[in-house]
Amino acid sequence: MKNISYGLHSSLAAIQQHPFHIQEICLLEHRQDKRIQEIKDQAVTNNVHCRSVDKGELEKLCGEGNHQGVVVIYKEQQTNSEAVLLEHCAKATSPLLLLVLDQIVDPHNLGACMRTAEAAGANAVISSTRNSAPLTPTVRKVACGAAERIPLIFAKNLARFIDELKQLGVWVYGTQPTASKLIYEADFTRSVALVIGAESSGMRRLVSEKCDELLKLPMCGEMASLNASVATGVGLFEAVRQRNIG
């Protein structure tokens, strides 16, 4: 079953942010601690049904995942559409900050990138529908609630979608180790989309060609690249720094 999330942080965020998407909450029977009670209280407040189940049923729902005594079952898989994001971008009255992920296949990386993007105040995360991790329970768990707070859009054609963002005034920066310009030299105060490629192969050629500028992170050691979520953090929080100066 893919329409679930589990863990205390992501479950609480799901109830608070999107209670109407939830079919029910499964709670480990006989667990009565403060954090579980908070989930129960929020479920009552948001009219979400809770059900007590044994450990075996929770493990059946989430496999080997660390459920922490709670599993959220959704009515349907919740993702957002390209059209909705483009409409939001067209109506935006302040500079946008978007994260674009090209072929990030590891669900742990996707979850970590979403967590970082939410923490940086990004408006959305965009990924491709092919050769990329889907929104799974593992992604939700690693994101620690961010998957319920920040939109995740799967673009059918990432290069074409980047073109559509550019037509709306979004400046697109791609990250590439061979770029001549450092990420700290870029202007992140305008509407920006930051593109992060796969750790092994980087951005695909066509995606790279669609970027307005290519940027690199300064590597002082012998490592050739960083984990995708770490690179995401460096780039997005440079935007946070520039936008909060003064």
Side-chain angles (χ1 to χ4, degrees):
M1 178 183 293
K2 293 185 177 180
N3 293 13
I4 68 167
S5 65
Y6 51 81
L8 294 165
H9 288 292
S10 61
S11 298
L12 185 59
I15 298 168
Q16 293 172 331
Q17 301 294 322
H18 304 293
F20 43 85
H21 290 162
I22 297 173
Q23 177 178 317
E24 65 177 352
I25 309 290
C26 294
L27 299 170
L28 181 62
E29 59 184 0
H30 308 310
R31 180 170 174 177
Q32 302 293 334
D33 57 85
K34 181 179 178 180
R35 300 183 76 183
I36 289 292
Q37 188 59 50
E38 183 179 8
I39 288 175
K40 289 180 179 179
D41 292 343
Q42 285 294 321
V44 171
T45 299
N46 291 283
N47 197 30
V48 175
H49 174 67
C50 288
R51 178 166 63 94
S52 294
V53 299
D54 60 26
K55 183 179 179 181
E57 184 167 351
L58 286 183
E59 291 176 347
K60 184 178 179 180
L61 284 170
C62 64
E64 297 180 357
N66 181 16
H67 53 71
Q68 297 179 304
V70 56
V71 172
V72 176
I73 301 179
Y74 295 94
K75 296 176 182 177
E76 58 184 21
Q77 189 76 290
Q78 294 300 323
T79 56
N80 296 271
S81 71
E82 299 173 56
V84 169
L85 177 60
L86 291 173
E87 182 180 0
H88 173 77
C89 293
K91 295 179 178 179
T93 57
S94 57
L96 296 160
L97 181 59
L98 305 171
L99 174 64
V100 180
L101 302 174
D102 186 23
Q103 300 193 107
I104 302 299
V105 298
D106 184 349
H108 292 86
N109 265 340
L110 176 57
C113 286
M114 292 187 72
R115 181 177 181 176
T116 300
E118 197 279 337
N123 301 91
V125 177
I126 301 104
S127 185
S128 55
T129 55
R130 298 179 59 188
N131 300 321
S132 299
L135 182 57
T136 64
T138 298
V139 173
R140 292 183 187 274
K141 180 68 166 59
V142 175
C144 291
E148 284 67 47
R149 296 189 181 100
I150 188 169
L152 173 62
I153 288 83
F154 287 101
K156 294 180 180 178
N157 185 319
L158 195 57
R160 184 175 62 197
F161 191 69
I162 288 174
D163 272 339
E164 293 178 299
L165 289 174
K166 290 165 68 174
Q167 290 171 12
L168 294 173
V170 177
W171 193 262
V172 181
Y173 289 125
T175 52
Q176 190 174 84
T178 57
S180 59
K181 188 173 183 177
L182 287 173
I183 202 164
Y184 305 120
E185 300 175 279
D187 180 5
F188 281 96
T189 60
R190 53 191 165 185
S191 287
V192 165
L194 178 67
V195 185
I196 302 291
E199 291 173 36
S200 57
S201 55
M203 293 180 293
R204 286 171 292 172
R205 179 186 59 80
L206 184 56
V207 172
S208 176
E209 290 174 355
K210 294 294 182 181
C211 295
D212 292 300
E213 286 187 84
L214 298 177
L215 308 172
K216 66 180 179 181
L217 278 62
M219 303 297 291
C220 300
E222 297 184 14
M223 299 301 297
S225 63
L226 296 175
N227 174 277
S229 63
V230 175
T232 293
V234 174
L236 292 184
F237 277 91
E238 173 59 16
V240 172
R241 184 191 70 82
Q242 290 187 22
R243 295 178 184 200
N244 285 279
I245 287 178

